[in-house]
Amino acid sequence: MKMSNSKHSKDSVDCEVAVGHSKEKLMKENHRKGDKILAALRTFSGMVAHIAAIGFTLFMFYISKPGTSLFSWHPALMSLSFMCLMVEAILVFNPESSLLLKASRKTKVRVHWTLQTCAVGCGLLGFLTIVLNKIQNNKEHFKSWHGMFGLITIIYCVVQAGFGVFLLYPQVAKKWNWKLIQLKVYHATFGLLGFTLVSVTIILSLFSNFVASNVEGFLWGLCFFCPAWCILIVMNQVTNTYLPITRRSGRTAPL
């Protein structure tokens, strides 16, 4: 009788262990499926950002018709600079939706600074055209919210690009005892702030007389969506990449 009870209890334990293993296996499979779905959604979201950046730029070229007037170069160059070149320069490092997904880190860095240099150059040209246009028409400068944010943004981007040179030549930064990982975190953080300024400036431009006279209804909403979506994707990319690094460095930092 005792042997029968012990055998029964052993069978019960074996059964519970088997059930536990099957549950654990099922949870792992569900977790893997969930990870695949999230990865697919992140890839799709990133690709939408590419389409939004390029589509917005092409649409601005279409409605501004660059070359028809001095002012026409302003929206064309600014959209090319900040909505196309700058977005693509940032998304080149996106782990799910980069257009250079299989390229080496060295190649991505080269493409990033090349696109950012072109973005700053186009931005400065676009800024120059609106200043000259204001002078030609005897209009006051930087009186609207768009104008004020535009001035702040262009100055910020030039300074940010200048500090980005330290990442190309980290040996220079070592003179001030800066570590490479610190430079990367600072560059990404301040870069995110800069792109936030860019997005706010672009959104404010949608309330200008030029856009109001050329875009309305659904198309205006689509134009609003493009920079708003891009900043969300960029925020997600930067925080997912560098937040774990800052947490690890915070835990290992001496008290």
Side-chain angles (χ1 to χ4, degrees), residues 185-200:
V185 172
Y186 294 152
H187 183 67
T189 303
F190 288 108
L192 177 58
L193 177 58
F195 190 70
T196 302
L197 284 172
V198 166
S199 300
V200 171

Side-chain angles (χ1 to χ4, degrees), residues 79-147:
S79 59
L80 176 63
S81 170
F82 296 117
M83 269 302 291
C84 184
L85 296 173
M86 187 170 286
V87 171
E88 292 303 326
I90 297 169
L91 292 183
V92 75
F93 293 116
N94 193 292
E96 285 91 17
S97 57
S98 171
L99 297 181
L100 299 174
L101 203 58
K102 295 183 179 180
S104 65
R105 173 79 184 181
K106 186 178 180 180
T107 299
K108 290 180 180 179
V109 169
R110 189 180 294 114
V111 171
H112 173 77
W113 69 256
T114 301
L115 290 176
Q116 287 288 44
T117 302
C118 293
V120 172
C122 284
L124 288 172
L125 287 174
F127 182 77
L128 180 63
T129 58
I130 193 62
V131 170
L132 293 176
N133 184 72
K134 294 278 187 180
I135 293 172
Q136 275 189 2
N137 294 283
N138 295 318
K139 292 183 177 180
E140 292 182 307
H141 299 273
F142 315 119
K143 286 297 181 180
S144 66
W145 282 106
H146 171 62

Side-chain angles (χ1 to χ4, degrees), residues 203-217:
I203 289 172
L204 287 172
S205 73
L206 300 179
F207 297 91
S208 64
N209 292 332
F210 166 71
V211 175
S213 61
N214 287 280
V215 187
E216 59 183 9

Side-chain angles (χ1 to χ4, degrees), residues 9 36 39 61 64 121 136 139 172 193 204 207 234 239 241:
S9 61
K36 288 181 180 179
F61 266 76
S64 62
Q136 275 189 2
K139 292 183 177 180
V172 177
L193 177 58
L204 287 172
F207 297 91
V234 170
T239 53
T241 302

Side-chain angles (χ1 to χ4, degrees), residues 17 28 49 75 110 112 138 153 159 216 223 225 232 236 240:
V17 171
K28 286 182 179 179
R110 189 180 294 114
H112 173 77
N138 295 318
T153 299
V159 174
E216 59 183 9
C223 288
F225 166 82
L232 288 176
N236 182 69
N240 284 345

